């Protein structure tokens, strides 16, 4: 059964939002919207097992919105691939969460417990 997140128009273009969904993972997750494209990731830094990335609610992106950043030790991740491009976990990757949106603009996670 898919898990509902929110409506696409509730996410401003170029922003990120966190969700705490026990049905999906023991870790919170977050999504990043760029245009009609929405990507999901677990909020768990590969540098320190399970460490959250954001220093405050929904603060997952760099100041210019071009990258995902971990507040712990400054790791920078590519928004498209989730790969760390700078910082202490260089080359490691965030864990993707598959997010889809339907014709009515609702965002869903396709599979429950798709990630852990
Ligand atoms: S915990 Fe994320 S960079 Fe160290």
């Amino acid at each position: 059964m898919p898990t509902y997140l929110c409506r696409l128009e509730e996410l401003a273009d170029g922003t990120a939002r966190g969700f705490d969904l026990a049905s999906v993972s023991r870790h919170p997750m977050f999504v990043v919207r760029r245009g009609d494209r929405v990507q999901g990731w677990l909020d768990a830094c590969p540098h320190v097992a399970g460490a959250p990335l954001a220093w405050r609610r929904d603060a997952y992106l760099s100041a210019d919105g071009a990258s995902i950043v971990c507040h712990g030790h400054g790791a920078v991740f590519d928004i498209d691939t989730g790969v760390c491009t700078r910082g202490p976990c260089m080359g490691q990757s965030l864990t993707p969460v598959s997010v889809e949106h339907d014709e009515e603009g609702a965002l869903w996670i396709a599979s429950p417990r798709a990630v852990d």
Side-chain angles (χ1 to χ4, degrees), residues 45 47-48 51 70 72-75 88:
C45 185
H47 178 221
V48 175
C70 178
H73 307 97

Side-chain angles (χ1 to χ4, degrees), residues 103-115:
E103 293 101 34
E104 283 89 46
L107 291 178
W108 302 88
I109 295 175
S111 323
R113 303 252 16 131
V115 290

Side-chain angles (χ1 to χ4, degrees), residues 20-69:
D20 198 354
L21 301 168
S23 63
V24 175
S25 171
R26 60 192 162 92
H27 298 290
M29 62 155 297
F30 65 100
V31 297
V32 180
R33 177 181 179 186
R34 294 199 296 174
D36 282 343
R37 192 165 172 203
V38 180
Q39 290 169 279
W41 307 99
L42 284 192
D43 185 2
C45 185
H47 178 221
V48 175
L53 281 80
W55 62 277
R56 65 172 167 75
R57 186 173 176 83
D58 300 336
Y60 295 100
L61 302 180
S62 57
D64 65 2
S67 305
I68 297 166
V69 176

